[in-house]
Amino acid sequence: MESIQLSVSGMKCGGCVSTVEKILNNSDGIENVSVNLLTESAYFEITQKHIEIESVLENLKENGFPSKIYVNDFSKKINKAELEKKKRWKNKWKKLTFALLLLLFSGLGHLAEGRYINFPILGNIFFHASLATLALLFPGRGIIINGLKSFIKNRPDMDSLVALGVISAYTTSLLSLIFPATGFPCFFNEPVMLLGFILIGRYLEERARYQTGSSIGELLDLQPEMANIYTEDNQIKSIRVNTLRPDQEIQVLAGDRVPADCIVTRGNSYVDVSHITGESKPIEIKEGENLSSGSLNLNSTLRLKVQKVGGDSSLAKLVNLIESVNARKPRIQSIADEIAGKFSYFVLIFATLTFFFWWKGAKNIWPDLLSQNHELITHSSHTLHSSLGSNAENFLSLAIQLSIAVLVIACPCALGLATPTVITVASGKAAKKGVLFKGGDKIEMASKINHIIFDKTGTLTKGKPFIVDYKNNNDHSFLLKIAASLEKESRHPIADALIQEAKKQNLSLFPIKKIFTHSGQGISGELESIDGLISIGNIEWLHSKGIIIDSDAKKVIENEETKTNTIIGVSIKDKLLGFILLGDLLRDDSIKTVQNLREKKFKINILSGDRKQTVLALAKKIGCKETEVKWDLLPEMKLKTIENLKINNKVAMIGDGINDVPALASSDLGIAVGSGTQIAKANADVVLMGDQLNGLPYALNLAKKTIRKIKQNLTWAFGYNLLAIPLAAGILFPKYGILLTPSIAALLMAISSITVVINALSLD
């Protein structure tokens, strides 16, 4: 299946998210749809080979959501992101400036009307009618048009509620001005103030929302615009980075960033790679070592050979991975979006009921209500231009006021933003610490984990075994040559150790004729110039294959020195050729990480395919009991252990190798160490970049804080609407004489959305 990402315009609230999801879900050949309000994007998978994406885009456009396929060209993304940001701010600032000017004149009009300033024209009713008309035609036009379109298409959203409120206030005032006998209130200042507060709120909300996604912008800023390349005559020439090609050689001066994934061909220096690993301590780079794009060269000039550029570079993939977090949202967000999708209907019904209750019903229940509250209501200096809610002289005026306030104060925006803002902030903070979550749903699962399983080799240890000794064979070079020759096509850390040692000794290896991999046990095959099947692997496996292990060999295996190391046997046909002992260093932060997790009440287990004594020796170093570790495990045995633990626990598995892939996939949360194999990282839900484990406690703790923030935001969003809507409907008016004007309702609505985003930004 092919994954598609769309950039979607026109989404304002959770109701819009629900509508876009319905449109995509109802399109043939599309499934696994996820829409994100914060990033204004939609993700889905295509299940059919021939699907007209253009028809899907046209359907979205017809419904008020112009969309286009997301540009994934890294160089274009950098420029496009900056240009679109400037364009968006410019447009919003224009609308906001115009609205603020209208607000200013409206406020001065009130002062002139109350004779606080001597400027009669500002207090004139026709002047205020003109202001309201300008407000609707210019800064409010987009909101009104989009809102009415959504309403007509039977998918009301936030703009629909605002548009109906503004038009109702404006139309009522216009009728009152033209036909005074109708008895309608006239309040042209309200549409002006209402739109002004909404635009201010949206501008501030957009600013805050942009900050939540700042981590991606910071990563994009790591890509330099220019690069210095070596010409054919070894001269330096400056070119734009997007014209770089693999195999070109470039110069990176001290203080400059690396423009592509490269290999060092000359020089050595200290380099800051914190954008990849989260580790602030610089690392030393020498000839032959690899450098990732975006790395900062600190103190010496380097000559580099370009390996990968643009979208293939590690920086581009890191940006894509962080962006993809939004493609899979947690279940709690899906529920909120579903509720938000139906919320606008509820508000419309409630506003209608509010109107009819106060117009027809309230006067029968409280016939003297308006006269009793007369002293609490401030009168205007003239009857034609009252502030809505401050001078309701009859129940019809009161009904219009309160129904408009209900329309405006409701806030599905807060519901729609409650989760994605926190997820985006959390994924950005995690990335800065070298932790990559592969979806919002993975963050949610990480918050529930209570049981952690570690693989040993390459996870708790550095995964770079080294040869300690040779046993049961006097010709060490021949033993190593046989083992390295057969292992040279393997990606296993033990194979790498054998091959590197063979290179040090300048051994020429035998060509491979046949090779067979036995997962978790060893490798077998045939080599040219060697007669018979060669087997290399753990002792139990060799014994099961009929390899003769005599008493002298058994003594070597049972030796205390041998037990604390990993031991592999090498055989030709059924004859044991000898043993190779390998050691592995504990990661610098393994002990501290495990202790940290224990303090946080996590259950810990170690599952390993190594021999008992090797595993127990490591367990003792990191403080694990014998009952908490298992050894001599094949991949399927690890899998079975995890399945049993999952019955009563939420289990996370941390591994690094190919043989860990089934366990990573089976666990509730698969976590791969960044220095591990690509296949392990591809199948994991979380990746710890670099070669440190200290990001694990941070990641799990951050996940818990993230879900706590999401719950706070949803509680606020639901609680706000639960309290604000009845308040706007006049529940306190009969007893306390308290009413909300639509402009104040609009201000409260804007504050609600901003509060949700600011709370997300406070995640630490």
Side-chain angles (χ1 to χ4, degrees):
M1 287 190 294
E2 182 184 359
S3 296
I4 299 288
Q5 180 180 346
L6 299 181
S7 297
V8 184
S9 304
M11 293 194 297
K12 299 294 189 304
C13 63
C16 300
V17 170
S18 182
T19 300
V20 173
E21 286 186 342
K22 285 178 183 176
I23 292 171
L24 292 173
N25 279 318
N26 291 333
S27 302
D28 293 334
I30 288 177
E31 63 178 35
N32 297 328
V33 176
S34 178
V35 180
N36 190 289
L37 174 63
L38 180 68
T39 58
E40 297 178 317
S41 53
Y43 308 82
F44 55 87
E45 292 177 343
I46 296 175
T47 58
Q48 297 178 4
K49 290 184 179 179
H50 304 291
I51 181 173
E52 293 291 336
I53 293 293
E54 293 302 322
S55 64
V56 176
L57 298 178
E58 186 61 32
N59 192 11
L60 287 168
K61 184 179 179 181
E62 287 176 0
N63 283 275
F65 302 104
S67 306
K68 53 188 175 182
I69 296 176
Y70 180 67
V71 176
N72 203 24
D73 185 301
F74 190 58
S75 59
K76 289 182 181 178
K77 186 185 294 185
I78 295 168
N79 299 327
K80 184 171 175 285
E82 190 61 29
L83 289 173
E84 286 192 350
K85 182 179 70 173
K86 289 179 180 178
K87 184 179 178 182
R88 186 186 303 169
W89 289 128
K90 190 175 180 180
N91 290 337
K92 284 188 176 291
W93 183 247
K94 281 181 180 178
K95 287 183 180 180
L96 182 62
T97 304
F98 198 175
L100 288 172
L101 284 172
L102 295 177
L103 270 177
L104 175 63
F105 282 118
S106 181
L108 291 173
H110 277 292
L111 294 175
E113 181 184 337
R115 297 177 183 174
Y116 293 105
I117 60 174
N118 187 19
F119 215 131
I121 191 174
L122 292 178
N124 186 280
I125 186 64
F126 293 101
F127 176 75
H128 283 269
S130 300
L131 285 180
T133 304
L134 287 172
L136 267 65
L137 289 177
F138 293 99
R141 182 175 59 192
I143 294 174
I144 292 169
I145 291 173
N146 292 333
L148 291 179
K149 278 184 179 178
S150 299
F151 182 73
I152 292 168
K153 290 180 180 291
N154 194 29
R155 49 169 187 78
D157 55 18
M158 188 70 243
D159 279 356
S160 300
L161 301 179
V162 174
L164 290 173
V166 171
I167 291 172
S168 299
Y170 181 79
T171 304
T172 302
S173 302
L174 199 61
L175 289 172
S176 176
L177 180 62
I178 299 172
F179 307 107
T182 58
F184 285 175
C186 186
F187 35 80
F188 283 113
N189 61 315
E190 287 299 335
V192 176
M193 297 180 72
L194 196 153
L195 286 170
F197 285 137
I198 285 173
L199 289 170
I200 290 171
R202 287 193 177 178
Y203 180 80
L204 295 174
E205 178 189 314
E206 187 71 25
R207 286 291 299 268
R209 283 168 63 179
Y210 174 74
Q211 283 182 272
T212 64
S214 61
S215 59
I216 292 178
E218 289 173 9
L219 285 174
L220 292 174
D221 288 340
L222 297 179
Q223 178 69 57
E225 293 183 4
M226 307 297 291
N228 295 326
I229 67 166
Y230 286 95
T231 61
E232 292 181 358
D233 56 355
N234 214 33
Q235 298 299 308
I236 299 296
K237 178 183 176 182
S238 186
I239 64 169
R240 297 195 70 82
V241 166
N242 57 7
T243 63
L244 266 182
R245 296 291 177 265
D247 295 328
Q248 286 183 319
E249 293 205 337
I250 62 173
Q251 180 192 65
V252 177
L253 302 173
D256 287 349
R257 291 197 177 273
V258 179
D261 288 356
C262 302
I263 187 168
V264 180
T265 57
R266 186 183 303 168
N268 58 75
S269 182
Y270 280 91
V271 176
D272 179 359
V273 293
S274 58
H275 70 292
I276 294 289
T277 65
E279 176 59 54
S280 58
K281 186 178 179 181
I283 61 170
E284 187 176 3
I285 292 293
K286 300 175 182 177
E287 288 184 19
E289 295 189 11
N290 294 309
L291 268 179
S292 299
S293 55
S295 301
L296 178 63
N297 183 21
L298 295 176
N299 62 344
S300 298
T301 300
L302 293 173
R303 182 164 180 157
L304 310 174
K305 186 176 184 179
V306 176
Q307 302 288 305
K308 293 179 181 179
V309 298
D312 295 327
S313 69
S314 56
L315 181 61
K317 290 178 179 178
L318 181 60
V319 170
N320 290 339
L321 189 56
I322 296 174
E323 287 179 332
S324 71
V325 171
N326 301 303
R328 303 177 68 176
K329 56 188 176 186
R331 183 173 174 272
I332 194 171
Q333 182 182 343
S334 300
I335 295 171
D337 286 345
E338 188 175 341
I339 293 171
K342 299 173 182 177
F343 184 74
S344 295
Y345 292 100
F346 164 76
V347 175
L348 287 170
I349 293 169
F350 196 85
T352 303
L353 292 175
T354 299
F355 174 79
F356 283 106
F357 173 79
W358 287 107
W359 181 30
K360 296 295 185 182
K363 61 185 176 183
N364 296 323
I365 302 172
W366 306 291
D368 301 324
L369 178 63
L370 294 181
S371 60
Q372 288 175 359
N373 287 284
H374 194 71
E375 294 180 3
L376 294 171
I377 303 173
T378 306
H379 282 279
S380 247
S381 59
H382 56 72
T383 58
L384 277 180
H385 186 217
S386 54
S387 178
L388 183 57
S390 67
N391 196 15
E393 296 192 351
N394 56 60
F395 281 100
L396 177 59
S397 298
L398 185 63
I400 293 171
Q401 163 193 335
L402 296 178
S403 58
I404 293 173
V406 169
L407 286 172
V408 174
I409 203 167
C411 191
C413 293
L415 283 173
L417 292 170
T419 302
T421 48
V422 184
I423 292 294
T424 303
V425 171
S427 60
K429 286 186 175 293
K432 289 177 182 177
K433 293 287 187 179
V435 179
L436 297 180
F437 288 99
K438 293 186 179 180
D441 55 336
K442 307 308 179 188
I443 296 178
E444 185 176 34
M445 178 52 70
S447 71
K448 300 175 182 178
I449 295 300
N450 67 328
H451 201 125
I452 300 174
I453 295 174
F454 286 95
D455 175 50
K456 171 186 167 286
T457 306
T459 304
L460 290 169
T461 65
K462 291 186 176 181
K464 294 182 179 179
F466 54 92
I467 294 176
V468 175
D469 201 357
Y470 304 89
K471 298 289 184 180
N472 223 47
N473 187 298
N474 294 325
D475 191 348
H476 298 169
S477 294
F478 181 70
L479 181 62
L480 175 61
K481 186 174 180 177
I482 292 290
S485 296
L486 196 60
E487 293 274 13
K488 66 183 176 184
E489 292 185 4
S490 172
R491 301 273 299 172
H492 196 280
I494 287 177
D496 187 60
L498 297 172
I499 294 163
Q500 293 303 319
E501 184 62 27
K503 285 182 179 179
K504 285 182 183 178
Q505 297 185 24
N506 294 318
L507 300 177
S508 57
L509 303 181
F510 297 111
I512 296 175
K513 291 168 63 179
K514 294 181 182 178
I515 188 169
F516 308 96
T517 300
H518 308 270
S519 183
Q521 300 176 100
I523 192 170
S524 62
E526 296 180 9
L527 299 173
E528 290 187 9
S529 305
I530 303 294
D531 182 30
L533 183 71
I534 300 167
S535 298
I536 305 169
N538 64 55
I539 308 304
E540 290 76 10
W541 176 64
L542 292 176
H543 185 70
S544 69
K545 287 176 63 66
I547 308 301
I548 299 170
I549 300 177
D550 59 26
S551 57
D552 290 338
K554 287 179 180 177
K555 287 180 182 178
V556 171
I557 296 170
E558 297 302 321
N559 184 279
E560 288 301 318
E561 177 194 352
T562 306
K563 285 181 180 180
T564 58
N565 293 299
T566 297
I567 182 170
I568 59 169
V570 182
S571 67
I572 301 178
K573 295 183 180 178
D574 61 350
K575 181 184 177 183
L576 181 69
L577 196 62
F579 300 120
I580 300 177
L581 271 60
L582 298 113
D584 196 359
L585 296 174
L586 199 65
R587 286 188 189 271
D588 298 336
D589 58 348
S590 290
I591 297 174
K592 186 177 180 180
T593 296
V594 172
Q595 288 177 345
N596 194 332
L597 291 170
R598 285 193 185 282
E599 289 171 2
K600 296 181 184 298
K601 309 301 181 185
F602 287 101
K603 302 173 189 174
I604 306 291
N605 280 115
I606 300 173
L607 304 183
S608 177
D610 282 355
R611 299 167 69 234
K612 179 179 178 179
Q613 293 302 322
T614 306
V615 178
L616 288 178
L618 177 135
K620 185 177 180 181
K621 290 179 182 177
I622 64 173
C624 283
K625 301 175 184 176
E626 186 172 338
T627 54
E628 295 175 325
V629 299
K630 291 188 177 184
W631 49 88
D632 291 332
L633 296 180
L634 299 175
E636 57 267 26
M637 296 165 70
K638 288 184 181 181
L639 197 62
K640 187 176 180 180
T641 302
I642 289 172
E643 291 295 339
N644 289 335
L645 288 172
K646 281 171 62 179
I647 296 172
N648 298 312
N649 299 279
K650 292 296 182 184
V651 179
M653 168 73 191
I654 299 94
D656 77 308
I658 293 174
N659 61 332
D660 295 323
V661 170
L664 290 172
S666 174
S667 61
D668 294 303
L669 189 76
I671 304 173
V673 181
S675 56
T677 61
Q678 289 298 322
I679 189 170
K681 288 186 280 188
N683 284 273
D685 303 313
V686 182
V687 178
L688 304 177
M689 304 301 288
D691 60 356
Q692 299 294 311
L693 286 177
N694 54 19
L696 179 59
Y698 173 81
L700 297 176
N701 189 43
L702 179 67
K704 291 181 186 296
K705 289 181 178 180
T706 299
I707 299 304
R708 197 178 304 134
K709 281 287 181 188
I710 289 173
K711 289 179 178 178
Q712 287 173 6
N713 274 357
L714 289 173
T715 300
W716 165 256
F718 281 113
Y720 163 82
N721 285 299
L722 196 64
L723 295 174
I725 293 175
L727 183 63
I731 194 172
L732 299 180
F733 184 57
K735 188 172 182 179
Y736 301 103
I738 296 175
L739 290 174
L740 288 181
T741 67
S743 56
I744 297 301
L747 182 61
L748 291 174
M749 183 273 291
I751 290 172
S752 175
S753 297
I754 295 167
T755 301
V756 163
V757 181
I758 290 174
N759 188 47
L761 288 169
S762 68
L763 181 69
D764 56 18

